[in-house]
Amino acid sequence: MNTHTSNNKQQDLQLLDSKNHADSTSSTYNKIPSNWKVVSLLFFLIGLPAIPAIFIVALVLLGPDAIADASSLINARYFELPAAILVHGVSGIVFFFSLPTQFSTRLRITQPKMHRVMGRLAVVSACLMAMSGVWMHLVFSPTDIGTRFILLVLVAIAICISFSTAIVFAMKKNIAAHKVWMTRAVAVTLAVVTPLFLEVILSLFIDVASPMGELAMSVLHDYDRLIGLVLNVLVVEACMSKKQVNARFKAKALCRPRG
């Protein structure tokens, strides 16, 4: 009888310890910041070109006669020379699904293997997307080798260099530098998205049909990637500098003697 009672007590203690451990794990998980605002913003910004790319890739794979009304909305040459658009579109779609999750603090801590896999997908797809963008220009606009093409090449090179640098720091276990360069890489990649917002802003404050408006739109058309690159990098660098200053201020406040 005593042995039976002792076994019951041991089982109860094991159940209690298990429950306390589960509660502790759940509490710790909930305390890990998700960084959902940044992740959601990245899904939105990258989704602006990525979501249309899903439909374009699907239409190209189906062929021009599959959905006639929808197929007429995209460049007919995509069906004639599909390789470049498929590589660019598929890599952009993979980038859309993989990159934002890299900035999820909770995923990085609780699922480190998934974080590394998604990171590799993001880097490879970013470089493919950048290089295939140049390829697309040469395929579909071979005679237009001017300012826009030069800036396209420069942005593509910047994307490959920034993501490669981030990976090198990750391999060296320098996580702080890895995070900084991943942030810079995203800013460089989104240089092609920023001009979309600049066009909307210009149309709100300037009559695009006026001579000044036409000049502004012409400058934006030729130098949009450079303008987007400079603006994005400046904003990101300012945000990271502010974060570092705040961190130093908090560290000094904690080290300051009390009383």
Side-chain angles (χ1 to χ4, degrees):
M1 185 70 179
N2 291 335
T3 303
H4 180 70
T5 303
S6 176
N7 290 337
N8 286 340
K9 287 182 178 180
Q10 288 180 356
Q11 290 176 359
D12 291 340
L13 287 173
Q14 289 175 355
L15 288 173
L16 182 60
D17 289 341
S18 177
K19 182 178 183 300
N20 289 336
H21 177 71
D23 291 342
S24 176
T25 303
S26 177
S27 177
T28 302
Y29 178 81
N30 291 330
K31 288 179 180 178
I32 299 174
S34 61
N35 205 24
W36 66 270
K37 291 182 180 179
V38 173
V39 174
S40 300
L41 178 62
L42 289 175
F43 269 120
F44 169 72
L45 293 175
I46 300 173
L48 291 175
I51 292 175
I54 295 174
F55 294 99
I56 292 173
V57 168
L59 288 172
V60 171
L61 290 174
L62 290 172
D65 300 324
I67 309 175
D69 293 338
S71 298
S72 63
L73 299 176
I74 64 176
N75 191 336
R77 297 194 65 198
Y78 289 172
F79 299 104
E80 300 170 5
L81 303 166
I85 187 64
L86 288 177
V87 172
H88 189 68
V90 171
S91 58
I93 294 167
V94 174
F95 185 75
F96 168 64
F97 286 108
S98 60
L99 188 279
T101 60
Q102 290 298 288
F103 291 83
S104 171
T105 308
R106 185 172 295 174
L107 179 66
R108 185 169 64 249
I109 294 174
T110 60
Q111 300 290 336
K113 289 184 179 180
M114 182 179 293
H115 174 76
R116 288 193 292 269
V117 170
M118 298 297 278
R120 290 164 185 163
L121 286 174
V123 170
V124 172
S125 61
C127 294
L128 281 175
M129 183 172 60
M131 292 184 289
S132 61
V134 177
W135 181 19
M136 276 184 59
H137 187 100
L138 293 174
V139 170
F140 299 113
S141 305
T143 59
D144 185 10
I145 310 297
T147 303
R148 282 183 60 80
F149 175 73
I150 294 172
L151 293 178
L152 173 63
V153 173
L154 290 176
V155 170
I157 293 172
I159 290 172
C160 294
I161 291 175
S162 56
F163 273 107
S164 298
T165 304
I167 287 296
V168 169
F169 278 118
M171 293 172 65
K172 291 181 178 180
K173 306 299 181 183
N174 190 341
I175 303 304
H178 168 69
K179 291 179 180 179
V180 169
W181 276 98
M182 279 296 289
T183 304
R184 287 172 178 160
V186 173
V188 173
T189 307
L190 291 176
V192 298
V193 177
T194 301
L196 299 176
F197 296 96
L198 295 178
E199 288 183 11
V200 174
I201 294 171
L202 278 176
S203 63
L204 291 175
F205 294 97
I206 300 177
D207 181 8
V208 294
S210 66
M212 182 180 294
E214 290 180 355
L215 177 61
M217 295 303 291
S218 176
V219 171
L220 181 61
H221 178 267
D222 291 337
Y223 298 94
D224 57 352
R225 294 185 178 95
L226 177 61
I227 295 171
L229 177 62
V230 172
L231 285 176
N232 289 359
V233 171
L234 286 176
V235 170
V236 163
E237 292 296 332
C239 290
M240 289 193 297
S241 297
K242 183 179 178 181
K243 188 175 181 180
Q244 289 177 354
V245 170
N246 291 338
R248 290 172 186 170
F249 180 78
K250 289 180 180 179
K252 288 181 179 179
L254 290 172
C255 295
R256 190 178 302 161
R258 298 180 181 179

